[in-house]
């Protein structure tokens, strides 16, 4: 297009003729087929007449000279094994292929760097208007086969941004997004380590307080701290080993990776991190319990310590969550900056390619003038252009090779310097952390210390981020200077080739004087300047469109973060209501115990939601990666249409119709892309919902243990209050009487003790059997209830789909299906939570009943032992039997009530199953 515009005679609309023929291949309106055919016939007849007057006439006059030309072209064609179409002038190229002459076809000559790939920024051919005709086909953008190939397509595995600047891969977008995933994983690791450091520091502070109050010894203090630090290090080593194993598994090539491999790795990473989180919960509970056991505190004091620990860890989770959200957005913003820098470097890479193309066009225009004036034969012109093209080819190839080789060497040096600076910075930061953490803290100053510690670590992360960002800019500037330097040298070499052509070759092969050749060279330079100005204008428009695209992507990411925040808030409120409902139904717990359980649940939920927020960002990134190829093709088509529309100042009705058809096609492709993006995001959302349910199941299991321990402690306290004093007094009197009695012998006591132990063993065996049987029965009831519920939901879903089928168009149907899927998942989520709540309630009732039954049996066995011992010692039980009988009767009455409560719970479960 540029060459056609450069050689066209003056005219108001002459420059638009090439556009009309180019966009004709994009015709999508069948109704215009007949006029298009008639127009083509008319244009063909006109072209034939012009050909006769301006081309065939001069050729007939020089028939003798052209006979040798025809034989040369024929011999070259046979040698190159190509067939030339009729009525089209061709110039053999230096590589043995054939291509239309540059000045006669708007399609530009293919240079060695012009490998046609998906990337729009990697080849000069992608910038030529004529090479975009096939982009209008919808199959090039939306194809299942291409999706599969893209999923399995390997792209370069990079570890930092500077490596992308010298990458020869065309999947730059995938490389950048893979860096985003890598940075997210690194951020998650840093925040997890910060949480562990803070936990150890809180534990150290409380132990120091116990040590100062002489509640524990110094040896025990050091032993506890060392044990906890060792256990946390072991947890981190296990996680690191699993993550490394996942990274190495399925690696076909250490330098490349596929999108499918990346999805699998991210999924396994998430599973390992959730498992590590659960292990940390257990270790933290174990450490807290051990701390309380060593404190020798009262029950109220122990509860207060547990509450304070939980509250402080909740505050830490809040700080980590805020930091994670802000840094995740910073990482995303860094990706956009990287894209801008890559685009800028890519423009510099293609600058010499564009210049060489423009030079070829300008020279071809001058040689055409000489051919029309008969100063140069067609064969001579083609020979000169072929030689010049070959020389340009070699220069551009040398430029490309030098850019790659010198760029890699430069980046290697810069990365070595970068690694050294990062290593020094991390060592200084490690020393700073040690100085702060070694300072002894009091419990009253712990909150301020935790805040100061977080601010220090946040500042250190920001310093590292700034260092990397500054190094990225310096690397980009260095690569840009290298390209400009090489481009200047190559441009000078191309100019010398053109000078040699005009000042040495043309005067000897034509009758044109040296002065005229100099004037022709100046005219060629003027044409070159005009074409380079057009290219510069084209680049500016393309840069503007690229910036607009980035702004649209930023808006999409903003919506993604907003939806993630809404989802976290919904889950948090929902599960807090659930745990409150559980505690209200249980009853019997003190206000302090219930408050502690709520805060403990809040702490675990914050940890899970913070981790799943990172996972959600990773899934959104994978969605963008899966759709990146189609987005690039659509953006290329959109750029092409926008630039054509802005460059066309005069349009007839036919051109206007063609452009409208093109706009309609682009809108159609945008709708298809939007639907596919939503469908892909929905698939990832379903996977995220499944992972959320698994993580929340872990929270539920952990909270069951916490609630169980609270109930057990409460039951023990109540039991101790009822009979501790009178029972202990009677036991002491009985022991004294047995020791003083002459009727009690050693053999008699041993026989009573052995009988008592046998009875206890029998009771415990019976209790375990009943417990196992009851739990199996509950599991069977839940399984049958879930089966019936799923069957009913499937029937309802099928009925809804049949009712909606045929009533909506394709776009509305897809949207309706997505809404139905969302409603289905939300409904399933609520139902499953209610089922789990009822199941937990039923399980607690059963275990409570079994525990009461076991307690009564143990009391009865103890009473039998006391009765036999009293009879042996001749001690009367008149004063003791009455209260004990009342206690046993109360136990039986309570047992009867709990049986009724248990059967009510079963009825509720049966009703839920029927529903």
């Amino acid at each position: 297009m540029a060459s056609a515009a450069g050689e066209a005679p003056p005219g108001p609309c002459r420059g638009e003729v090439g556009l009309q023929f180019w966009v004709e291949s994009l015709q999508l309106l069948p109704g215009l087929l007949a006029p298009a055919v008639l127009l083509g016939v008319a244009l063909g007849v006109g072209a034939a007449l012009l050909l006769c007057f301006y081309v065939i006439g001069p050729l007939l006059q020089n028939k003798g000279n052209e006979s040798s030309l025809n034989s040369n072209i024929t011999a070259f064609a046979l040698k190159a094994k190509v067939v030339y179409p009729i009525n089209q002038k061709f110039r053999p190229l230096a590589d043995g292929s054939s291509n239309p002459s540059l000045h006669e076809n708007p399609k530009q000559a293919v240079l060695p760097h012009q490998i046609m790939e998906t990337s729009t920024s990697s080849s000069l051919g992608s910038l030529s208007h004529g090479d975009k005709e096939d982009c209008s086909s919808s199959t090039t953008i939306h194809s299942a086969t291409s999706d599969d190939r893209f999923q399995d397509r390997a792209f370069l595995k990079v570890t930092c941004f500077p490596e992308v600047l010298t990458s020869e891969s065309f999947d730059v977008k995938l490389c950048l997004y893979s860096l985003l995933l890598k940075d997210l994983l690194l951020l998650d690791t840093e925040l997890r380590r910060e949480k562990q450091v803070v936990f150890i520091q809180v534990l150290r502070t409380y132990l120091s307080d116990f040590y100062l109050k002489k509640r524990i010894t110094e040896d025990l203090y050091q032993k506890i701290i060392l044990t906890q630090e060792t256990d946390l290090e072991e947890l981190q080593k296990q996680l690191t080993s699993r993550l490394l194993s996942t990274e190495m598994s399925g690696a076909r090539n250490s330098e490349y990776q596929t999108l499918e491999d990346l999805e699998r790795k991210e999924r396994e990473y998430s599973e390992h991190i959730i498992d590590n989180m659960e292990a940390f919960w257990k270790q933290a509970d174990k450490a807290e319990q051990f701390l309380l056991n060593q404190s020798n505190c009262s029950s109220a004091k122990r509860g207060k310590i547990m509450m304070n620990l939980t509250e402080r860890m909740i505050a830490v989770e809040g700080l980590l969550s805020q930091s994670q959200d802000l840094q995740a957005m910073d990482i995303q913003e860094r990706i956009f900056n990287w894209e801008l820098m890559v685009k800028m470097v890519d423009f510099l890479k293609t600058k010499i390619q564009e210049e060489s193309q423009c030079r070829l066009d300008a020279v071809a225009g001058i040689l055409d003038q000489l051919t029309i004036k008969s100063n140069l034969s067609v064969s001579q012109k083609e020979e000169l252009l072929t030689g010049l093209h070959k020389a340009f080819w070699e220069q551009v190839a040398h430029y490309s090779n030098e850019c790659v080789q010198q760029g890699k060497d430069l980046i290697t040096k810069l990365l070595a310097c970068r690694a050294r600076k990062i290593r020094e910075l991390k060592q200084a930061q490690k020393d700073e952390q040690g100085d702060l953490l070694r300072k002894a803290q009091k419990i009253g100053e712990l909150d301020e210390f935790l805040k100061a510690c977080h601010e220090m670590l946040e500042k250190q992360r920001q310093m590292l981020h700034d260092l990397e960002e500054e190094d990225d800019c310096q690397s980009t500037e260095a690569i840009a200077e290298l390209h400009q330097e090489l481009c200047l040298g190559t441009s000078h070499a191309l100019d010398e080739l053109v000078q040699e052509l005009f000042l040495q070759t043309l005067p000897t092969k034509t009758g044109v004087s040296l002065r005229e050749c100099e004037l022709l060279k100046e005219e060629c330079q003027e044409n070159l300047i005009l074409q380079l100005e057009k290219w510069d204008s084209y680049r500016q428009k393309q840069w503007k469109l690229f910036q607009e695209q980035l702004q649209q992507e930023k808006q999409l990411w903003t919506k993604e973060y907003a939806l993630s925040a809404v989802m976290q808030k919904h889950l948090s409120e929902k599960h807090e209501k659930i745990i409150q409902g559980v505690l209200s139904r249980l009853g019997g717990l003190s206000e302090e115990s219930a408050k502690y359980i709520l805060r403990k649940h809040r702490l675990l939920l914050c940890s899970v939601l913070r981790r799943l927020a990172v996972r959600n960002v990773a899934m959104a990134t994978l969605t963008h990666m899966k759709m990146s190829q189609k987005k690039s093709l659509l953006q290329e088509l959109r750029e092409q249409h926008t630039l054509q529309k802005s460059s066309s100042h005069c349009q007839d009705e036919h051109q206007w119709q063609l452009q409208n058809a093109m706009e309609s096609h682009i809108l159609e492709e945008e709708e298809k892309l939007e639907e596919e993006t939503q469908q892909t995001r929905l698939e990832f959302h379903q996977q995220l919902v499944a992972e959320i349910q698994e993580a929340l199941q872990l929270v539920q299991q952990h909270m069951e243990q916490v609630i169980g321990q609270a109930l057990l402690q409460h039951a023990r306290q109540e039991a101790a209050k009822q009979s501790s004093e009178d029972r202990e007094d009677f036991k002491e009197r009985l022991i004294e009487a047995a020791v003083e009695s002459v009727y009690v012998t050693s053999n008699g006591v041993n026989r009573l003790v052995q009988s008592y132990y046998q009875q206890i063993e029998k009771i415990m065996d019976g209790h375990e059997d009943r417990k196992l049987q009851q739990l199996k029965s509950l599991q069977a009831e839940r399984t049958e209830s879930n089966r019936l519920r799923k069957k009913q939901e499937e029937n309802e879903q099928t009925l809804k789909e049949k009712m909606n089928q045929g009533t909506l168009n394709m776009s509305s149907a897809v949207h309706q299906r997505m809404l139905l899927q969302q409603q289905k998942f939300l409904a399933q989520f609520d139902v499953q939570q209610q089922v789990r709540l009822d199941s937990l309630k039923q399980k607690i009732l059963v275990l409570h009943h079994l525990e009461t039954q076991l307690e009564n049996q143990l009391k009865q066995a103890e009473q039998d032992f006391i009765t036999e011992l009293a009879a042996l010692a001749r001690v009367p039980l008149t004063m003791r039997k009455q209260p004990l009988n009342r206690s046993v009767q109360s136990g039986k009455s309570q047992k009867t009530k709990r049986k009724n409560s248990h059967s009510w719970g079963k009825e509720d479960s049966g009703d839920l199953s029927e529903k």
Side-chain angles (χ1 to χ4, degrees):
M1 188 69 186
S3 61
E7 67 179 16
C13 298
R14 181 68 176 176
E16 278 72 26
V17 176
L19 176 62
Q20 177 179 351
F21 289 110
W22 171 73
V23 297
E24 208 166 281
S25 62
L26 301 175
Q27 176 64 20
L28 300 175
L29 302 176
L32 298 178
L33 182 60
V37 172
L38 295 177
L39 180 61
V41 172
L43 292 175
V45 173
L49 293 176
L50 292 175
L51 187 65
C52 291
F53 283 106
Y54 293 102
V55 179
I56 299 179
L59 289 178
L60 291 175
Q61 295 177 2
N62 299 307
K63 184 176 180 181
N65 296 331
E66 295 302 315
S67 59
S68 60
L69 168 66
N70 295 334
S71 61
N72 292 337
I73 293 177
T74 304
F76 187 90
L78 293 175
K79 181 179 180 181
K81 298 182 180 180
V82 295
V83 179
Y84 292 156
I86 302 175
N87 296 334
Q88 190 171 5
K89 296 182 180 180
F90 275 74
R91 169 175 49 80
L93 300 183
D95 61 345
S97 62
S98 62
N99 202 43
S101 179
L102 291 173
H103 63 287
E104 293 181 357
N105 195 307
K107 291 187 179 181
Q108 301 176 353
V110 180
L111 292 173
H113 58 276
Q114 293 171 298
I115 304 173
M116 299 305 296
E117 287 285 348
T118 304
S119 174
T120 63
S121 61
S122 300
S123 66
L124 181 59
S126 63
L127 302 176
S128 174
H129 294 291
D131 293 337
K132 303 298 180 186
E133 296 174 355
D134 295 335
C135 293
S136 63
S137 174
S138 61
T139 57
T140 60
I141 298 180
H142 304 280
S143 171
T145 305
S146 63
D147 287 346
D148 295 337
R149 287 201 304 265
F150 185 72
Q151 189 79 357
D152 297 334
R153 181 176 180 177
F155 59 94
L156 188 65
K157 187 185 298 183
V158 292
T159 58
C160 58
F161 170 70
E163 294 180 359
V164 181
L165 296 174
T166 58
S167 169
E168 299 180 65
S169 171
F170 294 95
D171 299 310
V172 175
K173 194 99 171 179
L174 297 182
C175 294
L176 295 180
Y177 275 128
S178 67
L179 287 178
L180 189 152
L181 294 175
K182 176 178 173 293
D183 288 346
L184 285 177
L185 182 62
L186 181 60
L187 172 62
D188 183 80
T189 302
E190 291 176 350
L191 295 181
R192 183 169 55 256
R193 288 177 177 173
E194 178 179 346
K195 181 179 177 180
Q196 294 176 357
V197 168
V198 168
F199 175 75
I200 288 293
Q201 202 63 27
V202 171
L203 195 63
R204 187 192 301 272
T205 302
Y206 276 92
L207 287 173
S208 299
D209 183 69
F210 292 159
Y211 171 69
L212 293 176
K213 294 178 180 180
K214 306 298 182 180
R215 293 180 181 175
I216 60 175
T217 62
E218 183 178 1
D219 293 339
L220 182 59
Y221 167 78
Q222 297 293 342
K223 180 181 179 181
I224 295 174
I225 292 297
L226 182 60
T227 300
Q228 296 305 317
E229 290 179 345
T230 303
D231 291 343
L232 287 178
E233 289 178 0
E234 184 63 27
L235 278 181
Q236 185 61 36
K237 287 180 180 179
Q238 292 177 3
L239 178 60
T240 303
S241 176
R242 291 180 179 179
L243 294 179
L244 183 60
S245 176
T246 299
E247 177 68 24
M248 299 303 296
S249 64
R252 307 170 190 170
N253 191 313
S254 59
E255 297 181 359
Y256 293 89
Q257 58 185 343
T258 64
L259 191 53
E260 183 180 4
D261 290 339
L262 202 56
E263 287 184 35
R264 176 188 56 79
K265 290 178 181 178
E266 286 296 320
R267 184 171 57 253
E268 294 181 5
Y269 288 161
S270 181
E271 293 174 358
H272 296 328
I273 292 173
I274 291 294
D275 292 341
N276 179 267
M277 183 184 301
E278 182 188 13
F280 176 76
W281 294 344
K282 294 179 179 179
Q283 182 178 334
D285 288 349
K286 182 180 177 182
E288 292 173 0
Q289 195 63 39
F290 186 76
L291 173 67
L292 295 176
N293 293 337
Q294 298 297 329
S295 63
N296 298 323
C297 298
S298 63
S299 177
K301 182 66 175 178
R302 289 158 63 98
K304 186 177 180 181
I305 293 175
M306 294 288 287
M307 179 63 73
N308 290 337
L309 285 172
T310 305
E311 288 288 353
R312 286 188 167 93
M313 292 308 297
I314 290 176
V316 170
E317 279 292 345
L319 294 175
L320 294 180
S321 180
Q322 294 176 5
S323 178
Q324 176 179 283
D325 293 341
L326 292 176
Q327 293 193 47
M329 288 188 285
D330 288 343
I331 292 172
Q332 185 61 53
E333 186 66 27
R334 193 192 305 183
I335 291 294
F336 295 132
N337 295 334
W338 285 347
E339 289 193 52
L340 288 172
M341 288 188 282
V342 168
K343 193 72 173 179
M344 182 190 70
V345 172
D346 189 72
F347 280 170
L348 292 175
K349 287 181 181 179
T350 58
K351 181 178 180 181
I352 193 63
Q353 303 163 1
E354 296 162 359
E355 180 181 343
S356 63
Q357 183 63 62
C358 291
R359 285 185 184 275
L360 285 173
D361 292 341
V363 171
I366 298 299
L367 295 183
D368 280 344
Q369 296 180 14
L370 295 177
T371 303
I372 292 175
K373 294 177 182 180
S374 300
N375 292 329
L376 193 66
S377 66
V378 175
S379 61
Q380 289 176 328
K381 180 194 71 173
E382 297 294 342
E383 182 182 354
L384 292 175
L385 286 177
T386 301
L388 189 62
H389 185 278
K390 181 179 179 181
F392 276 23
W393 181 294
E394 293 174 351
Q395 289 295 330
V396 172
H398 177 73
Y399 165 80
S400 300
N401 294 333
E402 286 298 315
C403 284
V404 172
Q405 187 60 43
Q406 294 188 29
K408 288 184 177 180
D409 295 340
L410 178 60
I411 290 299
T412 300
K413 295 179 181 178
L414 293 175
L415 288 180
C417 180
R418 173 187 182 137
R420 178 182 55 79
K421 290 188 290 185
I422 291 178
R423 187 166 54 251
E424 294 175 354
L425 178 61
K426 286 187 175 181
Q427 183 60 43
Q429 291 179 350
K430 185 177 180 181
D431 296 338
E432 183 182 6
Q433 294 176 16
D435 293 339
L436 179 63
L437 297 178
R438 278 192 294 269
K439 295 180 181 179
Q441 301 295 329
K442 297 181 180 179
I443 294 181
E445 303 172 351
L446 187 56
D447 293 332
E448 296 180 0
F449 169 76
L450 295 179
K451 184 177 179 181
C453 182
H454 174 73
E455 290 177 352
M456 179 195 67
L457 295 175
E458 189 76 7
K459 180 181 176 182
Q460 290 181 351
R461 282 191 289 266
Q462 187 62 41
M463 291 176 61
L464 182 60
H465 174 274
D466 294 341
L467 174 62
E468 292 176 347
E469 187 174 2
E470 181 182 359
D471 189 77
D472 292 339
C473 294
Q474 291 178 355
S475 299
T476 304
E477 292 174 358
I479 290 295
E481 292 176 358
L482 174 64
H483 282 292
Q484 289 176 352
E485 180 182 352
L486 294 175
C487 181
L488 184 63
T490 306
S491 178
H492 181 69
L494 296 178
D495 186 65
E496 289 181 349
L497 291 173
V498 174
Q499 287 187 11
E500 181 182 355
L501 174 67
F502 281 98
L503 302 182
Q504 297 180 14
T505 305
L506 285 182
T508 59
K509 290 194 174 184
T510 63
V512 182
S513 64
L514 181 61
R515 177 59 183 167
E516 291 178 350
C517 288
E518 291 178 351
L519 294 176
L520 291 176
K521 178 183 176 299
E522 293 178 358
E523 181 182 354
C524 178
Q525 185 67 24
E526 293 175 358
N527 292 338
L528 173 63
I529 293 174
L530 292 176
Q531 293 191 31
L532 290 178
E533 289 177 353
K534 291 180 181 180
W535 272 113
D536 184 63
S537 176
Y538 176 88
R539 282 300 196 193
Q540 291 179 1
K541 293 176 182 178
Q542 193 178 28
W543 179 260
K544 184 178 179 181
L545 291 174
F546 178 73
Q547 290 179 320
E548 292 176 357
Q549 179 192 4
L550 288 185
Q551 288 298 327
Q552 293 176 0
E553 291 186 5
K554 287 183 180 180
Q555 294 177 1
L556 292 177
W557 278 103
T558 302
K559 292 180 181 178
E560 194 70 46
Y561 286 121
L563 291 174
S564 177
V566 171
M567 180 187 68
Q568 293 181 55
K569 183 178 180 181
H570 168 74
L571 289 174
S572 178
E573 294 176 352
K574 183 71 176 178
H575 282 269
E576 285 185 356
K577 290 180 180 179
I578 291 175
I579 194 67
Q580 289 174 358
V582 170
L583 294 178
S584 64
R585 291 181 180 91
L586 282 176
L589 290 175
S590 63
E591 182 179 354
E592 291 77 11
S593 297
K595 185 178 179 181
Y596 168 72
I597 291 173
L598 288 175
R599 303 310 289 167
K600 187 70 173 181
H601 178 264
R602 177 64 180 167
L603 174 60
L604 302 184
L605 196 60
C606 286
S607 300
V608 169
L609 294 180
R610 184 170 61 84
R611 169 56 208 164
L612 293 175
V614 177
R615 179 62 173 147
N616 187 43
V617 176
M619 286 184 169
T621 303
L622 291 172
T623 302
H624 284 276
M625 294 181 75
K626 293 188 72 171
M627 306 308 297
S628 63
Q629 184 187 35
K630 295 178 180 179
K631 283 185 178 180
S632 298
L633 291 175
L634 182 59
Q635 179 65 16
E636 183 181 348
L637 194 63
R638 193 185 293 115
E639 286 181 2
Q640 168 190 330
H641 172 66
T642 303
L643 294 173
Q644 281 186 352
K645 189 175 181 180
S646 62
S647 62
S648 300
H649 304 291
C650 297
Q651 294 183 356
D652 56 19
E653 182 178 359
H654 182 59
Q655 287 180 321
W656 181 77
Q657 291 177 350
L658 290 176
Q659 288 201 355
N660 286 342
M662 186 63 176
E663 290 177 358
S664 300
H665 175 66
I666 292 176
L667 291 176
E668 179 183 354
E669 292 295 339
E670 288 177 349
E671 292 178 358
K672 291 181 180 178
L673 181 61
E674 180 66 22
E675 290 179 2
E676 290 187 19
T677 303
Q678 291 181 358
Q679 183 62 32
T680 303
R681 191 69 184 94
L682 179 60
E683 293 174 0
F684 278 116
H685 180 70
Q686 293 172 356
Q687 183 178 342
L688 180 64
V689 169
E691 294 182 11
I692 289 175
Q693 291 178 347
E694 293 178 1
L696 293 179
Q697 181 68 24
L698 297 178
V699 174
Q700 177 185 338
Q701 293 174 1
H702 198 81
M703 288 308 302
E704 288 177 2
Q705 298 176 2
V706 174
I707 294 174
Q709 292 174 0
L711 289 172
L712 181 60
Q713 183 180 1
H714 176 74
R716 287 173 177 172
Q717 291 175 355
E718 292 296 325
K721 290 179 182 178
Q722 291 178 358
S723 59
S724 59
E725 295 181 358
D726 57 344
R727 194 172 184 83
E728 290 299 323
D729 291 340
F730 176 77
K731 287 181 180 179
E732 290 179 1
R733 292 197 302 270
L734 180 60
I735 292 173
E736 292 175 358
V739 171
E740 296 173 357
S741 176
V742 296
Y743 303 101
V744 178
T745 63
S746 176
N747 292 333
V749 172
N750 289 336
R751 184 171 62 255
L752 287 178
V753 171
Q754 185 176 5
S755 176
Y756 174 71
Y757 283 158
Q758 290 176 353
Q759 188 177 2
I760 293 296
E761 183 177 2
K762 182 178 179 181
I763 291 173
M764 294 304 299
D765 292 340
H767 171 73
E768 292 296 329
D769 293 338
R770 288 192 300 273
K771 181 180 177 181
L772 182 61
Q773 184 178 2
Q774 290 285 353
L775 292 179
K776 286 183 178 180
S777 177
L778 290 177
Q779 181 65 30
E781 291 178 4
R782 287 199 301 269
T783 303
E784 181 64 18
S785 176
N786 290 335
R787 186 185 67 81
L788 294 175
R789 178 174 53 81
K790 288 182 179 180
K791 184 177 181 181
Q792 182 179 358
E793 289 176 353
E794 290 175 357
N795 293 336
E796 291 176 356
Q797 184 67 20
T798 304
L799 181 60
K800 288 182 180 179
E801 291 178 354
K802 289 182 178 180
M803 292 175 62
N804 294 329
Q805 189 175 7
T807 60
L808 300 171
N809 55 29
M810 179 61 68
S811 179
S812 299
V814 172
H815 183 67
Q816 186 67 21
R817 284 199 302 271
M818 291 181 63
L819 291 178
L820 290 176
Q821 287 286 345
Q822 292 176 356
Q823 295 173 1
K824 176 183 175 182
F825 280 119
L826 290 176
Q828 287 179 349
F829 191 82
D830 293 339
V831 171
Q832 288 176 0
Q833 293 303 319
Q834 186 62 37
V835 170
R836 289 174 180 172
L837 177 61
D838 294 338
S839 174
L840 177 61
K841 173 184 173 182
Q842 190 176 7
K843 184 178 179 180
I844 290 175
L845 288 174
V846 171
L847 294 178
H848 198 174
H849 168 70
L850 292 174
E851 181 183 357
T852 303
Q853 187 178 10
L854 175 62
E855 182 181 357
N856 291 331
Q857 289 177 346
L858 292 176
K859 286 182 178 180
Q860 185 62 43
E862 183 182 14
Q863 179 62 31
D864 294 339
F865 174 76
I866 292 174
T867 301
E868 293 179 6
L869 181 59
L872 184 62
R874 303 296 195 270
V875 177
L877 294 177
T878 306
M879 298 300 296
R880 179 63 185 167
K881 284 182 179 178
Q882 189 66 24
L884 185 61
N885 288 336
R886 286 199 301 267
S887 176
V888 173
Q889 290 172 2
S890 176
K892 291 182 178 179
S893 175
Q894 188 177 10
K895 177 179 177 181
T896 304
K897 290 180 180 179
R898 287 174 179 169
K899 280 186 176 180
N900 295 334
S901 176
H902 176 54
S903 59
W904 175 75
K906 283 191 173 181
E907 290 175 1
D908 286 349
S909 178
D911 293 340
L912 182 62
S913 300
E914 291 174 2
K915 292 178 182 178

